């Protein structure tokens, strides 16, 4: 079956290309063992959305059609990753779409989704031009761009990627608390436009870990208060 992904001005991906086909089945790769291990996984960390105001989920969810990162090589930490930006009046930008500053989420403050320790980061990668507007600019040599990895000290690790250059406010070894500002949204790395990439995984290395479903607590999902849930593509979400 052809997979019709949404087109809302800009696509957002970290390490994948758009698939030519897909199935609306739960991701489990090779069968029941993966489903038992990962699809039924209950997040141990008390996660909250790492931003203020309302953001739109461009990519995320348990089905192939919702979670475009499912198509990355098996075993990577991005299995259940989210690509999220701000959409206002049906658009992710206002004015000249070729400018990062025209995109609603560019420069928005981002926060630690839970308590933990900063174990890796990059803060010096230039922001791209918006893809498709100036030489189709994407940084393939620094896939995550500016990023942080938080060790939640329970076998779970959060990765936030594509920060605006030089806006990360924490250092390796720092202890962070849930809700603490850690940087600002940008368009660095293998990114086609300003957005936040977030995923949870089971190892410190974002290229080698296994992605884990991330359940967030106490947030609004299309204006409905959710005590614990997993946002999905097409939803507007906001922290309570």
């Amino acid at each position: 079956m052809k997979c019709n992904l949404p087109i809302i001005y800009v696509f957002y991906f970290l390490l994948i290309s758009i698939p030519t086909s897909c199935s609306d089945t739960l991701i489990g790769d090779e069968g029941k063992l993966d489903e038992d291990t990962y699809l039924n996984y209950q997040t141990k960390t008390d996660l909250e959305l790492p931003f203020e105001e309302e953001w739109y989920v461009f990519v995320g969810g348990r089905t192939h059609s919702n979670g475009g990162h499912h198509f990355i090589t098996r075993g990577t930490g991005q299995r259940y990753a989210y690509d999220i930006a701000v959409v206002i009046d049906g658009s992710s930008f206002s004015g000249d779409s070729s400018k990062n500053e025209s995109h609603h989420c560019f420069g928005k403050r981002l926060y630690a989704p839970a308590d933990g320790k900063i174990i890796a980061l990059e803060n010096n990668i230039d922001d791209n031009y918006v893809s498709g507007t100036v030489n189709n600019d994407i940084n393939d040599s620094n896939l995550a761009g500016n990023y942080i990895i938080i060790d939640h000290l329970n076998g779970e690790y959060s990765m936030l990627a594509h920060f605006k250059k030089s806006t990360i406010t924490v250092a390796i070894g720092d202890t962070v608390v849930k809700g603490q500002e850690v940087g600002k949204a940008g368009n660095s790395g293998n990114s086609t436009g300003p957005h936040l990439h977030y995923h949870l995984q089971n190892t410190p290395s974002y290229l080698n870990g296994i992605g884990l479903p991330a359940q967030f607590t106490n947030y609004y999902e299309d204006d409905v208060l959710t005590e614990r849930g997993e946002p999905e593509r097409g939803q507007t979400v906001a922290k309570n």
Side-chain angles (χ1 to χ4, degrees):
M1 181 181 71
K2 184 177 181 181
C3 178
N4 295 310
L5 298 180
I7 300 175
I8 306 181
Y9 300 96
V10 180
F11 280 119
Y12 302 102
F13 296 107
L14 176 59
L15 295 175
I16 67 172
S17 59
I18 299 174
T20 57
S21 64
C22 69
S23 172
D24 289 324
T25 58
L26 291 175
I27 189 71
D29 287 335
E30 295 182 354
K32 190 175 185 303
L33 177 60
D34 278 351
E35 292 196 14
D36 287 345
T37 303
Y38 300 112
L39 288 180
N40 298 321
Y41 186 83
Q42 295 296 305
T43 306
K44 293 180 285 188
T45 306
D46 182 17
L47 295 173
E48 70 175 16
L49 295 176
F51 44 76
E52 296 176 327
E53 305 172 1
E54 292 185 338
W55 288 54
Y56 180 86
V57 182
F58 278 88
V59 173
R62 297 235 185 167
T63 66
H64 286 320
S65 57
N66 285 346
H69 298 87
H70 295 174
F71 293 91
I72 303 170
T73 303
R74 184 179 187 274
T76 62
Q78 300 176 81
R79 180 192 300 257
Y80 302 107
Y82 290 96
D83 288 331
I84 311 177
V86 176
V87 170
I88 298 175
D89 295 330
S91 177
S92 60
F93 64 90
S94 176
D96 185 352
S97 64
S98 70
K99 297 180 179 179
N100 284 316
E101 292 78 12
S102 295
H103 290 254
H104 301 306
C105 75
F106 189 74
K108 291 284 188 182
R109 294 177 180 177
L110 298 174
Y111 303 91
D115 298 348
K117 182 178 180 180
I118 304 296
I119 60 170
L121 65 78
E122 174 61 62
N123 195 26
N124 199 39
I125 305 299
D126 290 333
D127 288 278
N128 303 325
Y129 294 105
V130 177
S131 181
T133 59
V134 182
N135 298 325
N136 208 28
D137 180 72
I138 295 178
N139 188 339
D140 291 325
S141 61
N142 295 281
L143 298 176
N146 302 307
Y147 72 93
I148 64 171
I149 295 179
I150 304 174
D151 181 355
H152 297 299
L153 307 179
N154 58 5
E156 295 180 343
Y157 302 80
S158 283
M159 180 175 184
L160 291 79
H162 307 314
F163 285 87
K164 182 179 178 182
K165 182 180 180 181
S166 302
T167 64
I168 291 175
T169 57
V170 293
I172 293 175
D174 283 357
T175 296
V176 294
V177 297
K178 181 167 62 176
Q180 176 180 336
E181 183 178 346
V182 292
K184 295 179 179 179
N187 185 28
S188 58
N190 191 9
S191 169
T192 61
H195 74 290
L196 167 67
H197 170 103
Y198 173 81
H199 72 257
L200 189 72
Q201 65 178 61
N202 70 343
T203 67
S205 172
Y206 74 90
L207 289 177
N208 297 316
I210 298 294
L212 303 172
Q215 289 113 35
F216 294 89
T217 60
N218 200 27
Y219 69 98
Y220 285 95
E221 188 177 274
D222 292 336
D223 294 325
V224 176
L225 182 61
T226 302
E227 292 185 0
R228 180 180 174 92
E230 298 174 29
E232 294 184 354
R233 186 194 74 160
Q235 292 179 339
T236 298
V237 295
K239 184 163 52 179
N240 184 22

